[in-house]
Amino acid sequence: MTTRRTSLPTEQPCNPPPQPTRPPTPHPANEVEDQGPASCGQERMWLVEQLAPGSGSNHCTLLMWLRGELDHVALREAIDLLHRRQAVLRTVLAEQHGRLVQRVRRALPVDLPSSDLSDLPDPAAAARGIAAALGAAPYALDREPPVRWRLLRTAPNEHLLVLCLHHIAVDGWSESVLWQQLAELYSARRLGRTPPPQRLRVTYTEYAARQRRELAGGMYSKGLGYWRRHLAGAPAVVLPGVGGESSAYTGGADHAARTFTAGVPAELSIRLQQLARDERASSFMVLLAGFCALLRSTTQAEDLVIGTPTAGRSEADVRDLVGYLVNPLAMRFDLSGRPTPRELLRRVRATCLDGMDHQDVPFEEVVKSVARGRSNRRRQLTPVMFQLHNVPEPEARWVGLEAAREQIFGTACDLDLSLSLEPRPNGLVAHWTYHTALFHADEVKALHRRYLALLARIADAPDIPLPAEEAHGGQRRDEERWTAPPRSRQPETAAGWAEQGTRLRTVVSVFDEVLGGRPGLDEDFLAAGGHSLTAVQAAERLRRRLALPVTGLEVMECGSARRLGRLLDERAGAQLLARAAGEVSTSARAHRARTSSAGLSGAAAGPVLVTGATGGVGSFVVRELLARGRSVRALVRPESAHLLAGEPVEIVAGDLADHDSLRAAADGAGAVVHAACTFTSPQVDVAAMRALLAGGSAATFVFVSSVDAYGSPPPGPVPEGAGPVGAVNAYGEAKLACERLLAQARRGTPHGWSAVRVPAVWGCHDRLHHQLRWGVTGSLLQAAEARTEMLLPGTREATSRYRPGLLPWISAHRLARFLVDVVESPAYGVVNAIGGHVDWLALALELRELVGSDSRLAYSPDAPAHLFRAARYASALCEPAGGAEESWRAALAEAVPATLALSRR
């Protein structure tokens, strides 16, 4: 799920019940209650932070939405007790005699700043923006514990609890432990109970000290020997880079990253599990085999090293411990020859089992042992990572509150590419985090599609080798990707060249100062005697002299003075372009602000939530909203999220049967267009409507209803909003029930609402093609295709004149415009969206023409009675047709060929 970031609003102090005054909480040195060596993992995190201070690549921002009457005193007491129990939350780090140590401070009341955002136009979006900014702020790890709390009030009985952490203190397992224990502590204090003291079997300082003793005692020597043999001569993983350079040799070492989220269908997961059982493998191994196959086709490499994290909690005494215990493994896979998927899985299984037998060896020691002599230009041993998130997450119950977890993905990462999979009831969710200097969003979307195709091949044809062209780079990038010139422009004037020379001379001068001697332009910084500390010193001096951003890690990654000079040239050029474009961008921002505010007459500020956003109607609504410059939040099933990849849309995973996801999605929305529907489960549809109305109580609400709600009206005009006449089918009854819920919820409120009754929708979309394959329309189309008799519903009058029934219809494009119109100008009632009415005879003739059939036409007096209707539905608000391209014939001409192609698959 992506989370939009917003500029920070002006905050107002929150007004919880009176709290006892808390004294300031200074931490003089004599308040340290425990001290010990840092763990191996902490030492690596510390070094990364020193080399690239404030990059944010190891920051974590967790959110807990709390709905109900919050006990502020109980919450503060619970947080205090949690910090008392988990000492790592009170720990700072420091260098002492050349070694990194952790110092645990005495437990004191924890600072919990609170703000009231409920008067803002979009409190939820503002809260997420504040949380994102808080999580992105740098940590002073030697002066403050790596944890921050914030409480934000977004409505009278709704709060967002923000927990920001640095991974030097926690891992993914720890996050679940923290929320579980905080819920237990809060619930106990809310009920007036004293939580039983929980003595951890081992503290994090004790864990780190034990790890250091085992390391000094040679306990890991055998395991280190395995990893040295396993990784000897392993090549770098070379991902084709956007600018023509591979990832292993990128000179620009910024940490800019994005995360793309998409789904893996449940039925595919089930098929893969069967193969896993057959081969005595785990789901993790099967999914990893697919990832190996993907990287092979992308890189054309047959020898790959992929990192995968292990929990590092094989011992029972650390299961409930909060801390950084995760230990990555560098798995090396043999993909040579043309293995079948089954053979590939067996190779992956054997490698994983061997690696798991040696998983206790600290990754940092493996890197030190293996990386000696490797080029410093390699960013790290494992720039590509794979993970199946299987952390146990017991239900955390907050007494008197409804709680929902969320995470904000950061915009920094020290990896080139990582794939993290999370099991969900309806399949898997895939999070692709990628370095933006290496990949465009559409490329990552394509990677996901190829990954799904490979998984399907593994499941369905495990004994057939991949085709040679796919196994060796099928769907490879265009040749231009390898030969395109760098994206940055070189200076073209004499002054430009002189300035570039000045920057390069400055780099050489700084290298001379920190290294004690001038290296050659292409000489390696580390080979010339540099190390991490001198790299940090060099970066600091370059920032001061050139007024350009650069980090110690970038100094080491660029390696030579010439490469670092080029990086600084790029950044200087970017600054010049930014200054030149400043006036234009300011004007553009003002124009966008005017345009955005002009469209808010009917809807409150905030994104427009579209349910069923990948379905037939919903997808067209999303496009129309984006075309009008509106911010869009899309509720989609996880397995369909990839269909919106690359669109500027906030994606929320959910389902009509998952009421928590519906409430969370509607929360903070300025408007809701509810287009999703089960069609076959009225109870689910009605319950989903209740949940959405509860979550979006202040939003303008547009409900996509159906003309089936009119029942069986007699021939002639039917006014908008008329009550049902005659028999109403189950689908129409469900729509009527939802309309009544909407009217009741909005009665007596100023919030806009519209129930839009919709007929058959024709358009070019997989979901809309189904409408042409159902019922009498589908029967006519199939008969035309088979060249059999086409039976028309209709009646014969006394004069023997044939009188067909009428089919109301609308094109998907026109319906989308109409729905967005009523978002901005609500109808405050029931309205129709009708493009026109076509009789069955004309429809049958057109279908026959489009198919190229010579089927005979005949009428059927035995057809269902509702097909004989000749009602004409009024539609006062529906604008005139948009031209010939939106006629019913044009709509059919666009939809029928695709429908026939779909039926032949």
Side-chain angles (χ1 to χ4, degrees):
M1 170 172 69
T2 59
T3 302
R4 292 194 316 111
R5 295 178 181 257
T6 61
S7 57
L8 298 187
T10 303
E11 299 180 39
Q12 303 172 13
C14 188
N15 296 313
Q19 308 292 324
T21 303
R22 291 175 178 249
T25 56
H27 291 281
N30 61 4
E31 291 187 348
V32 173
E33 70 174 25
D34 192 14
Q35 181 169 305
S39 69
C40 295
Q42 284 181 317
E43 189 172 358
R44 179 170 61 89
M45 289 283 181
W46 174 266
L47 178 60
V48 169
E49 195 68 25
Q50 300 309 301
L51 292 174
S55 71
S57 59
N58 289 307
H59 294 192
C60 178
T61 305
L62 307 175
L63 311 179
M64 184 66 76
W65 292 95
L66 301 171
R67 296 180 179 86
E69 188 175 347
L70 178 66
D71 187 328
H72 292 255
V73 174
L75 179 60
R76 289 175 181 271
E77 291 175 348
I79 293 175
D80 287 347
L81 289 168
L82 182 64
H83 279 242
R84 189 179 300 276
R85 177 183 294 179
Q86 300 288 355
V88 74
L89 302 179
R90 300 179 272 119
T91 298
V92 297
L93 293 105
E95 292 183 356
Q96 181 175 300
H97 306 304
R99 301 295 298 274
L100 186 66
V101 298
Q102 46 181 332
R103 293 172 176 165
V104 181
R105 290 175 170 173
R106 183 169 64 86
L108 293 172
V110 179
D111 189 24
L112 178 62
S114 57
S115 304
D116 190 346
L117 311 177
S118 59
D119 290 337
L120 296 177
D122 191 346
R128 287 190 177 95
I130 291 171
L134 186 66
Y139 288 87
L141 299 174
D142 58 341
R143 297 192 300 275
E144 61 178 3
V147 56
R148 302 174 185 137
W149 296 90
R150 193 68 170 269
L151 183 64
L152 303 170
R153 182 174 182 261
T154 58
N157 279 317
E158 182 175 276
H159 294 78
L160 178 63
L161 181 61
V162 182
L163 173 55
C164 300
L165 300 152
H166 193 289
H167 273 308
I168 205 166
V170 298
D171 52 21
W173 188 296
S174 300
E175 295 166 11
S176 295
V177 174
L178 281 171
W179 286 129
Q180 176 68 20
Q181 294 188 0
L182 182 62
E184 292 172 354
L185 293 169
Y186 170 84
S187 298
R189 297 307 301 143
R190 175 69 188 271
L191 296 173
R193 302 171 185 164
T194 300
Q198 181 187 22
R199 287 227 17 113
L200 297 171
R201 286 180 264 186
V202 61
T203 66
Y204 191 74
T205 50
E206 292 168 344
Y207 159 81
R210 182 174 68 189
Q211 186 185 59
R212 292 295 182 180
R213 287 195 302 271
E214 293 171 348
L215 189 61
M219 182 174 176
Y220 301 128
S221 57
K222 182 179 178 181
L224 277 173
Y226 163 80
W227 289 111
R228 277 194 294 268
R229 292 189 303 274
H230 179 63
L231 297 170
V237 176
V238 180
L239 296 173
V242 166
E245 282 194 85
S246 68
S247 59
Y249 299 98
T250 47
D254 64 81
H255 293 257
R258 294 289 183 272
T259 297
F260 163 66
T261 298
V264 178
E267 58 87 17
L268 178 56
S269 301
I270 293 170
R271 284 151 51 202
L272 291 168
Q273 288 167 12
Q274 181 59 52
L275 177 62
R277 284 191 292 269
D278 292 345
E279 293 300 322
R280 295 182 299 130
S282 64
S283 295
F284 165 79
M285 295 172 185
V286 178
L287 294 165
L288 177 55
F291 190 60
C292 287
L294 176 68
L295 289 181
R296 176 182 173 175
S297 69
T298 302
T299 65
Q300 305 179 56
E302 296 184 341
D303 186 359
L304 287 173
V305 177
I306 300 174
T308 183
T310 59
R313 296 175 187 261
S314 54
E315 301 293 333
D317 59 357
V318 294
R319 295 289 172 84
D320 294 329
L321 179 63
V322 173
Y324 185 78
L325 283 75
V326 68
N327 192 45
L329 303 183
M331 302 280 202
R332 184 179 184 180
F333 298 101
D334 174 15
L335 309 178
S336 60
R338 286 191 59 201
T340 65
R342 191 184 303 277
E343 174 59 27
L344 175 59
L345 175 57
R346 289 172 180 172
R347 294 184 194 181
V348 169
R349 178 181 181 274
T351 300
C352 288
L353 292 177
D354 286 347
M356 295 299 178
D357 286 342
H358 302 89
Q359 64 176 298
D360 292 333
V361 181
F363 179 69
E364 293 70 26
E365 298 304 310
V366 174
V367 173
K368 291 177 186 177
S369 179
V370 172
R372 291 193 184 103
R374 294 169 71 94
S375 168
N376 70 290
R377 290 177 295 178
R378 284 279 294 113
R379 189 172 338 188
Q380 48 185 283
L381 183 62
T382 54
V384 177
M385 297 283 285
F386 177 87
Q387 177 183 12
L388 177 61
H389 186 83
N390 55 1
V391 176
E393 295 191 8
E395 183 182 2
R397 297 189 59 190
W398 298 69
V399 168
L401 298 172
E402 292 182 21
R405 282 176 59 174
E406 187 180 331
Q407 180 173 351
I408 294 179
F409 288 101
T411 56
C413 181
D414 56 2
L415 299 170
D416 289 348
L417 178 69
S418 75
L419 171 58
S420 177
L421 295 165
E422 288 185 65
R424 296 284 174 83
N426 50 356
L428 295 167
V429 175
H431 302 292
W432 297 82
T433 300
Y434 58 97
H435 201 300
T436 56
L438 301 174
F439 293 99
H440 292 310
D442 57 343
E443 293 177 307
V444 178
K445 179 180 177 181
L447 277 180
H448 181 73
R449 289 198 301 267
R450 289 169 54 200
Y451 181 57
L452 292 182
L454 285 165
L455 291 180
R457 184 185 293 273
I458 289 172
D460 298 337
D463 299 309
I464 301 176
L466 294 175
E469 65 273 12
E470 184 171 344
H472 295 282
Q475 301 182 16
R476 67 187 62 174
R477 300 165 194 272
D478 295 336
E479 192 65 28
E480 292 83 356
R481 291 288 308 279
W482 296 96
T483 58
R487 285 173 292 175
S488 60
R489 291 180 57 85
Q490 298 296 329
E492 296 177 357
T493 64
W497 283 109
E499 188 176 350
Q500 182 193 40
T502 300
R503 286 189 287 273
L504 181 56
R505 286 196 296 272
T506 302
V507 172
V508 172
S509 175
V510 167
F511 277 19
D512 186 10
E513 295 168 13
V514 300
L515 295 174
R518 177 168 296 188
L521 290 180
D522 298 306
E523 187 176 353
D524 189 277
F525 181 82
L526 295 184
H531 49 77
S532 58
L533 180 58
T534 52
V536 171
Q537 293 171 344
E540 185 177 350
R541 297 183 189 190
L542 289 170
R543 286 196 299 269
R544 187 168 60 247
R545 296 180 193 180
L546 297 176
L548 291 170
V550 63
T551 69
L553 184 60
E554 290 169 330
V555 171
M556 296 175 66
E557 287 188 341
C558 289
S560 70
R562 192 187 304 276
R563 289 176 64 85
L564 184 57
R566 289 175 184 167
L567 172 65
L568 294 170
D569 288 339
E570 287 187 10
R571 293 192 174 164
Q575 285 188 355
L576 286 172
L577 289 173
R579 284 196 293 270
E583 223 173 281
V584 175
S585 63
T586 300
S587 173
R589 283 195 299 270
H591 172 72
R592 284 196 298 270
R594 289 193 300 272
T595 304
S596 176
S597 61
L600 294 177
S601 58
V608 179
L609 170 66
V610 180
T611 67
T614 59
V617 174
S619 63
F620 284 86
V621 172
V622 168
R623 288 181 222 163
E624 180 66 21
L625 287 165
L626 293 175
R628 299 195 193 188
R630 297 300 301 269
S631 174
V632 178
R633 178 183 298 169
L635 178 73
V636 297
R637 290 183 175 181
E639 64 268 23
S640 301
H642 64 283
L643 297 174
L644 289 174
E647 299 288 351
V649 171
E650 177 187 352
I651 297 175
V652 181
D655 186 88
L656 291 183
D658 181 357
H659 297 165
D660 288 339
S661 72
L662 295 176
R663 284 188 288 267
D667 175 40
V672 175
V673 178
H674 182 26
C677 178
T678 66
F679 291 101
T680 57
S681 301
Q683 299 89 344
V684 173
D685 291 332
V686 174
M689 186 70 169
R690 287 196 181 95
L692 279 171
L693 289 170
S697 58
T700 297
F701 205 105
V702 177
F703 172 55
V704 181
S705 186
S706 169
V707 293
D708 283 23
Y710 286 112
S712 306
V718 179
E720 288 182 311
V725 176
V728 182
N729 59 29
Y731 178 64
E733 289 285 6
K735 293 296 187 182
L736 281 170
C738 290
E739 289 179 5
R740 286 192 288 267
L741 287 173
L742 176 57
Q744 292 166 4
R746 290 298 186 264
R747 185 176 295 126
T749 75
H751 308 305
W753 67 280
S754 309
V756 181
R757 292 183 177 177
V758 174
V761 182
W762 293 338
C764 196
H765 188 282
D766 280 356
R767 301 287 176 84
L768 295 179
H769 297 157
H770 288 294
Q771 295 200 25
L772 286 173
R773 297 165 67 190
W774 291 340
V776 68
T777 309
S779 299
L780 290 172
L781 184 58
Q782 291 164 25
E785 189 178 17
R787 300 179 184 273
T788 58
E789 190 174 60
M790 299 174 70
L791 295 178
L792 305 176
T795 60
R796 283 192 182 275
E797 299 178 338
T799 60
S800 296
R801 181 185 170 202
Y802 174 73
R803 180 174 182 177
L806 297 177
L807 175 68
W809 70 279
I810 190 168
S811 78
H813 298 286
R814 194 168 170 196
L815 175 59
R817 289 203 304 272
F818 183 57
L819 292 173
V820 177
D821 284 346
V822 294
V823 167
E824 298 174 351
S825 299
Y828 294 92
V830 176
V831 292
N832 294 336
I834 309 296
H837 299 77
V838 59
D839 66 58
W840 289 109
L841 177 59
L843 178 63
L845 291 170
E846 189 67 22
L847 291 175
R848 192 172 67 173
E849 179 72 20
L850 289 171
V851 174
S853 173
D854 56 0
S855 293
R856 176 176 174 273
L857 303 181
Y859 81 94
S860 171
D862 298 324
H866 72 276
L867 298 177
F868 298 157
R869 296 179 206 154
R872 290 184 176 272
Y873 300 97
S875 186
L877 292 182
C878 197
E879 79 278 16
E885 72 277 4
E886 287 194 359
S887 70
W888 68 270
R889 287 186 169 87
L892 281 180
E894 179 185 27
V896 166
T899 302
L900 294 176
L902 184 67
S903 65
R904 293 165 184 159
R905 288 179 189 173

